[in-house]
Amino acid sequence: MTSVSTTTPGTDWEYAPSPESREIVTIQREYNLFIGGEFVPPASGEHFTTLNPATEEPLASVAQAGPADVDRAVASARKASEASWGRLPGRERAKYLYRIARAIQERAREFAVLESLDNGKPIKESRDVDVPLAAAHFFYHAGWADKLGYAGFGPDPRPLGVAGQVIPWNFPLLMAAWKLAPALATGNTCVLKPAETTPLTALLLARVIAEAGLPPGAVNIITGDGSTGAGLVGHPGVDKVAFTGSTEVGKEIQAAVAGTGKRLTLELGGKAANVVFDDAPIDQAVEGIVNGIFFNQGHVCCAGSRLLLQESVADAVLDRLKRRLATLRLGDPLDKNTDIGAINSRPQLDKIEGLVAAGEAEGAQRWSPPCQLPARGYWFPPTVFSGVSQSHKIAREEIFGPVLSVLTFRTPEEAVAKANNTPYGLSAGIWTEKGSRILWMAGRLRAGVVWANTYNRFDPASPFGGYQESGFGREGGRAGLAGYLGA
Ligand code: NAI
Ligand code: MG
C-alpha cells in the first residue's frame, strides 16, 4: 500500500514512499499466555485472531484466557508476591526495572513496527512517542523503587499484593508500561490483560520480562476479550484493580469491585476542551489543535476533541487549520511520512461514522480535506465540524476518532463554562500569550491535566488522571505510586 496524500495531486510535490521494513519483527503464528514466567497454552483451548487494521490481514492467533487461566495467573502472582518479588528490597527491584527499560530501548524498532502493524498507528508515532515513553516509564519508576520510604508514604510503605490490570488498544505498549512499572516499583505483582485487538506488543514485552530474569509470576500477561477482563477484576485473589478504557466498562468494574475491599483506579474517557484566545500565537495553536485531535487518529482519551475559539479569531484560525489539514498524509502506517494511520477496528469505525452522521443530522457543518482512502482496511478522513452547539451529540460524546467539534466563545468566563460543560474531566488546553490568564483558567477548568500553549505532552514524572466520569486515581509521578501502596 502506498501513502495517499490529502493534497490535490499535481498541485504539490509528492513524497516518495518511505516504508519502514517489517523484517525486524518475527510474528508467531500462535501465541500462548504468559503465566509463571513461561508461555503456556490456555486451559480454554481457545484462540482468537488479531488483525492489521490497515489491511485487514490476520497477524496472529492469540490465546483466549478463560476462568481457569485467570485462576492460574492470579495464583502465580500471589506466589511471587509472597515468596519472591514481594520480598525483594527496593534496590533489587530497581535493577530489574532498569533492565526492562534498556531492553525496550534496544528493541525499539521491533516494538515500534509491531505496534504499528497491530494497532494501525503511524510508525513515526510508535517510534517517537509510544516506545520511548514506555522505556521512560520503566526508567522513572526504577528510580523510585528504593526511595519509597522517603516519599511521604511513611517510613516503610507496603505493596498491596496482586494487581489486576486491564488496558485498552489505543496505546498498547505504553499503557502496559503505565500499569506495570509503578506496580512493580512498589513491590506488587501483576496480572495484565491487553486489549483483544492489540495484544502483540504486550506479548513481546512478556518475552523481554522473561529475558530480564524477573522472578516467575511477578508479571503475568493473559490475553482475551472483555470476559477475561471481567474475570480478572472480579477475581477474589486480586488486591488492586487498575483499568484504562471506556467509561461504560469503568462503571461496570466499579460496581463489581464495590464492597470487596479491593483498591481501584479508573482512567476513562474524555471530551477535552482546547481553548484558543485571540492573543494566542495562531500558527503554534494550529499545530497544537492538529496534534490535539489528529494524533493517533484521535484514539486518545485526553484528545482535544472540542475546540473552543474566541469569536474574534475564529474564522482566521479555522481557515489556517483547514489549510494545515490539507497537508496531512493519510495511509500506510509503516510509511515514515504518514501522519494519519488506520482506525483500530471495524466497531470503532462504525462508532465514528455513527457519531459523524449524528453531527450532520443535528445541523453542524462537516468538512474534510480532499482525501483518498485506501480500498482495504479501516479508515476515516480528518474531519472538522463547525457550527457546533453544546447540545449536539458531537459536543458531548467521546468520538475517539479524527473528528474535531468547533465551538466559539466571547469571554474567558464563557470559555470556562463551556469547557466545564461535560460529564468528563480528563484534560484541557489553553492558548494565550498571557501568563495570568493561563493561571486564572487552569484554576477554574475541572480537568486532571491542563496544558498551556502545548497539547498531548506526557512525562512519567507528571501525574495523569481525571475527574467525574473520566475516572479517579492518578498515574505517573509520586501521586501514581500512592495507588499501589498500603497504609
Ligand atoms: P472497552 O472499555 O470495552 O475496552 C478496554 C479494555 O477493557 C479491553 O482490554 C477490554 O477487553 C476490556 N473489557 C471490556 N469489557 C470488560 C469488562 N466488563 N470487565 C473488564 N474488562 C473489560 O473499550 P472499547 O469497547 O474497546 O471501546 C469503546 C469506546 O471506549 C471507544 O469508542 C472510546 O470512546 C472508549 N475508550 C476509551 C479509552 C481511553 O483510553 N479512555 C480506551 C479505549 C476505549
Ligand atoms: Mg490488531
Side-chain angles (χ1 to χ4, degrees):
M1 187 178 24
T2 55
S3 270
V4 182
S5 169
T6 57
T7 48
T8 319
T11 61
D12 209 341
W13 286 9
E14 284 302 314
Y15 283 77
S18 175
E20 177 64 83
S21 164
R22 56 186 281 182
E23 295 300 301
I24 191 151
V25 171
T26 310
I27 299 180
Q28 294 168 215
R29 202 178 52 79
E30 190 174 282
Y31 286 87
N32 285 324
L33 306 169
F34 184 65
I35 299 178
E38 51 185 13
F39 287 90
V40 296
S44 69
E46 288 172 33
H47 285 76
F48 61 95
T49 301
T50 183
L51 298 175
N52 176 349
T55 59
E56 299 173 59
E57 145 209 25
L59 291 173
S61 169
V62 178
Q64 165 73 32
D69 301 305
V70 175
D71 273 348
R72 185 167 169 195
V74 171
S76 144
R78 173 65 57 200
K79 192 167 157 208
S81 169
E82 286 169 0
S84 58
W85 186 259
R87 290 174 162 265
L88 285 181
R91 62 178 184 280
E92 292 299 319
R93 296 197 301 272
K95 289 182 194 168
Y96 291 101
L97 293 179
Y98 280 123
R99 227 180 260 171
I100 297 170
R102 280 195 297 267
I104 293 173
Q105 287 183 321
E106 278 160 17
R107 301 175 81 153
R109 268 186 68 204
E110 196 179 346
F111 272 112
V113 172
L114 189 60
E115 195 76 306
S116 283
L117 284 171
D118 203 14
N119 168 282
K121 65 174 70 200
I123 186 76
K124 75 174 174 194
E125 292 179 4
S126 45
R127 180 195 65 198
D128 297 347
V129 181
D130 298 58
V131 176
L133 272 177
H137 268 268
F138 281 102
F139 275 122
Y140 174 79
H141 286 95
W144 269 121
D146 63 348
K147 300 171 193 71
L148 300 172
Y150 313 97
F153 300 113
D156 187 24
R158 308 303 304 159
L160 298 171
V162 175
Q165 307 175 311
V166 178
I167 57 173
W169 42 263
N170 52 345
F171 294 94
L173 176 69
L174 183 57
M175 288 303 106
W178 276 35
K179 294 284 179 278
L180 296 175
L184 293 172
T186 46
N188 297 275
T189 58
C190 304
V191 181
L192 176 85
K193 194 203 81 69
E196 52 272 43
T197 58
T198 55
L200 297 184
T201 47
L203 291 165
L204 180 57
L205 183 62
R207 191 165 292 282
V208 160
I209 285 168
E211 285 167 8
L214 269 77
V219 174
N220 305 274
I221 296 184
I222 56 170
T223 45
D225 60 11
S227 67
T228 309
L232 176 59
V233 304
H235 196 285
V238 165
D239 303 300
K240 151 86 187 189
V241 172
F243 173 76
T244 299
S246 63
T247 294
E248 191 189 357
V249 170
K251 286 179 182 175
E252 281 177 39
I253 291 177
Q254 192 171 14
V257 163
T260 61
K262 288 177 195 173
R263 291 267 296 272
L264 176 64
T265 44
L266 295 175
E267 202 266 275
L268 310 174
K271 192 74 190 178
N274 201 2
V275 185
V276 180
F277 285 96
D278 59 6
D279 65 340
I282 299 289
D283 288 322
Q284 230 173 292
V286 165
E287 289 309 305
I289 295 162
V290 171
N291 174 39
I293 184 64
F294 300 112
F295 169 63
N296 204 34
Q297 296 72 245
H299 300 328
V300 182
C301 47
C302 52
S305 52
R306 286 184 299 150
L307 176 62
L308 266 56
L309 296 176
Q310 194 154 21
E311 228 171 63
S312 52
V313 290
D315 289 343
V317 173
L318 262 182
D319 186 55
R320 280 199 229 182
L321 177 64
K322 288 178 177 177
R323 270 189 281 155
R324 177 69 178 89
L325 293 183
T327 69
L328 292 182
R329 299 172 60 78
L330 176 148
D332 182 3
L334 286 191
D335 191 314
K336 291 169 221 153
N337 294 321
T338 293
D339 300 300
I340 300 192
I343 299 303
N344 181 253
S345 66
R346 179 81 245 177
Q348 187 59 33
L349 181 57
D350 291 343
K351 176 179 167 178
I352 295 168
E353 286 172 345
L355 282 163
V356 163
E360 288 191 285
E362 289 184 321
Q365 287 89 53
R366 174 181 179 178
W367 180 90
S368 289
C371 179
Q372 202 184 329
L373 302 181
R376 281 186 67 78
Y378 314 128
W379 303 94
F380 201 83
T383 300
V384 175
F385 273 106
S386 50
V388 177
S389 80
Q390 296 186 81
S391 61
H392 286 166
K393 226 173 168 179
I394 53 169
R396 289 184 287 114
E397 292 185 22
E398 183 176 51
I399 300 174
F400 225 62
V403 181
L404 179 66
S405 301
V406 184
L407 298 93
T408 59
F409 67 92
R410 289 186 180 168
T411 63
E413 290 76 10
E414 190 187 347
V416 168
K418 285 188 168 168
N420 286 341
N421 184 13
T422 169
Y424 294 110
L426 192 55
S427 59
I430 307 167
W431 297 84
T432 172
E433 214 172 48
K434 289 194 185 69
S436 57
R437 182 178 279 163
I438 291 171
L439 294 175
W440 187 89
M441 290 286 293
R444 285 165 180 76
L445 292 172
R446 279 180 295 139
V449 177
V450 179
W451 285 292
N453 294 325
T454 186
Y455 207 92
N456 273 343
R457 298 271 290 208
F458 306 99
D459 190 289
S462 175
F464 185 90
Y467 286 97
Q468 307 189 98
E469 296 208 354
S470 291
F472 49 79
R474 294 292 177 266
E475 294 187 294
R478 181 191 164 278
L481 302 170
Y484 286 99
L485 290 169

